[in-house]
Amino acid sequence: MTTVLRPHAEDDHAEELALLAKEDDRARPPGWKLSPWAVTTYLLGDGDRISPKYVGARRIVEVAVATLATDRALLLLGVPGTAKTWLSEHLAAAISGDSTFLVQGTAGTAEEAIRYGWNYARLLAEGPSRAALTPSPVMRAMAEGRIARVEELTRMPSDVQDALITALSEKTLPIPELNEEVQARRGFNIIATANDRDRGVNELSSALRRRFNTVVLPVPATAEEEVDIVTRRVAQLGRSLELPETTTGMAEIRRVVTVFRELRDGVTEDGRTKVKSPSGTLSTAEAISVLTNGLALAAHFGDGVLRAADVAAGIVGAVVQEPVSDQVVWREYLETVVREREDWRDFYRACREVS
């Protein structure tokens, strides 16, 4: 696994999952590897041996886990960068021990990704048969009693989205060509993620939405909470990417988070100055990306200390998505807010250089 760039959650945290399974003496729903209590502990951490995977309200995680213990599917809804995919992967890893039953939603996702397809060489040679059928991740999860994940559900065309309805309501997938069906085994469920802020989003039909229990993942409530999340993830990514040893400047982390929050909220931290918001989401995930890139610059081209110049280009790239309108927003923020802060002079100069 040392050569894998991004191990699956169940591989990366195998020791923690094994430890929880060994000590878990609570009731487990049929087909689950851990009890709901142990799944929640795995996600939130225990302050000692189990590291936190999700930083947020405990009740949100409890509702999500309880939903999957019923026959209701789970829809994780939120703006981009609120850890929907991250949470869905770790939920599947803890419950099923396998997070790889994945359908990635795009504008080009076909119905076969939800139901099944065919090996056309065998189909032409032998006719319709089980051997010629190519099961989707959802069909395989049903047959094995696992959790299937459907990412970016609202990016799929509406008719493809609705292919899930039979699996969600009847817990079966008919195969009319073979006069057969695949029935879900205990332990099967679906976790879908969606957002309604990005472009290219297709609204869910009311029939499909009724079959999900929706949990909304909020952006971090406070700056301190967001700084904590960003610090943890940047450290994890630095280790997994084996970046050379660098000094992670907390001042720069706080500065990036502050810029993102102020532009996202349309007002400065002290509430005194209103600012315009750019077209992008400026999510926590983007802040993590900016800082990870900054660490790489500091490690390979700097003195090993994360400085304002290392994060400036990343911030400008994240803010200025629309070349004209966002550039105006950024310049106004730079001149009216950043320039006036005495301890931000180095950051102001660095941003001016790359702008």
Side-chain angles (χ1 to χ4, degrees), residues 67-134:
T67 295
L68 294 170
T70 69
D71 64 348
R72 296 276 288 177
L74 174 65
L75 175 63
L76 298 175
L77 188 67
V79 299
T82 47
K84 299 183 296 297
T85 298
W86 181 256
L87 184 57
S88 75
E89 179 184 0
H90 283 283
L91 279 167
I95 293 170
S96 295
D98 191 340
S99 62
T100 63
F101 296 89
L102 172 66
V103 177
Q104 180 61 59
T106 68
T109 300
E111 192 173 319
E112 287 81 359
I114 302 294
R115 299 176 70 239
Y116 55 87
W118 296 97
N119 179 328
Y120 287 103
R122 300 197 69 162
L123 183 65
L124 291 172
E126 305 169 6
S129 66
R130 272 286 186 156
L133 185 141
T134 305

Side-chain angles (χ1 to χ4, degrees), residues 18-345:
L19 177 65
L20 282 168
K22 182 180 179 181
E23 298 180 354
D24 186 14
D25 58 358
R26 304 197 182 205
R28 305 180 188 184
W32 283 39
K33 302 292 185 183
L34 299 171
S35 69
W37 175 86
V39 172
T40 302
T41 301
Y42 167 75
L43 288 165
L44 296 175
D46 64 356
D48 183 18
R49 297 172 297 173
I50 308 300
S51 62
K53 318 302 179 302
Y54 176 76
V55 178
R58 182 179 184 86
R59 198 59 177 171
I60 289 176
V61 175
E62 290 175 344
V63 170
V65 173
T67 295
L68 294 170
T70 69
D71 64 348
R72 296 276 288 177
L74 174 65
L75 175 63
L76 298 175
L77 188 67
V79 299
T82 47
K84 299 183 296 297
T85 298
W86 181 256
L87 184 57
S88 75
E89 179 184 0
H90 283 283
L91 279 167
I95 293 170
S96 295
D98 191 340
S99 62
T100 63
F101 296 89
L102 172 66
V103 177
Q104 180 61 59
T106 68
T109 300
E111 192 173 319
E112 287 81 359
I114 302 294
R115 299 176 70 239
Y116 55 87
W118 296 97
N119 179 328
Y120 287 103
R122 300 197 69 162
L123 183 65
L124 291 172
E126 305 169 6
S129 66
R130 272 286 186 156
L133 185 141
T134 305
S136 70
V138 175
M139 179 177 279
R140 290 190 293 114
M142 294 177 74
E144 297 181 29
R146 309 274 191 164
I147 298 289
R149 298 165 53 213
V150 181
E151 294 295 325
E152 300 288 0
L153 178 59
T154 48
R155 289 202 175 281
M156 295 181 183
S158 298
D159 56 331
V160 178
Q161 294 175 8
D162 287 345
L164 283 168
I165 290 177
T166 303
L168 293 175
S169 58
E170 304 298 327
K171 308 302 180 190
T172 185
L173 270 180
I175 311 173
E177 297 89 342
L178 302 179
N179 197 28
E180 295 180 17
E181 66 179 9
V182 172
Q183 290 184 297
R185 294 180 59 186
R186 289 189 169 190
F188 166 75
N189 213 327
I190 290 177
I191 305 173
T193 66
N195 77 77
D196 53 10
R197 283 277 304 274
D198 273 356
R199 297 174 181 174
V201 165
N202 300 303
E203 288 293 329
L204 301 180
S205 67
S206 57
L208 183 57
R209 192 178 280 271
R210 283 196 305 270
R211 287 162 172 80
F212 282 102
N213 188 31
T214 302
V215 173
V216 178
L217 298 186
V219 295
T222 66
E224 288 304 316
E225 186 177 302
E226 191 161 3
V227 166
D228 182 37
I229 294 169
V230 171
T231 303
R232 290 174 186 273
R233 285 294 293 137
V234 168
Q236 290 171 356
L237 285 169
R239 288 193 297 270
S240 67
L241 296 172
E242 297 185 9
L243 291 175
E245 192 67 31
T246 55
T247 301
T248 306
M250 282 303 298
E252 299 309 326
I253 293 178
R254 290 181 183 279
R255 193 141 52 185
V256 171
V257 169
T258 298
V259 170
F260 275 37
R261 290 182 70 87
E262 289 181 336
L263 287 171
R264 202 164 60 208
D265 297 340
V267 65
T268 54
E269 242 181 353
D270 57 14
R272 294 179 179 177
T273 307
K274 290 187 176 181
V275 297
K276 295 176 182 176
S277 295
S279 60
T281 56
L282 298 181
S283 65
T284 307
E286 289 174 283
I288 292 167
S289 178
V290 167
L291 285 157
T292 303
N293 186 67
L295 282 179
L297 282 171
H300 295 297
F301 302 103
D303 59 1
V305 178
L306 184 67
R307 302 185 187 279
D310 300 316
V311 299
I315 285 185
V316 175
V319 174
V320 183
Q321 299 290 318
E322 294 287 346
V324 179
S325 60
D326 288 347
Q327 187 69 253
V328 173
V329 171
W330 173 243
R331 285 190 179 277
E332 184 176 312
Y333 176 77
L334 203 59
E335 298 300 328
T336 60
V337 177
V338 176
R339 186 179 183 181
E340 299 304 314
R341 292 173 174 164
E342 289 290 334
D343 55 342
W344 283 36
R345 290 297 173 85

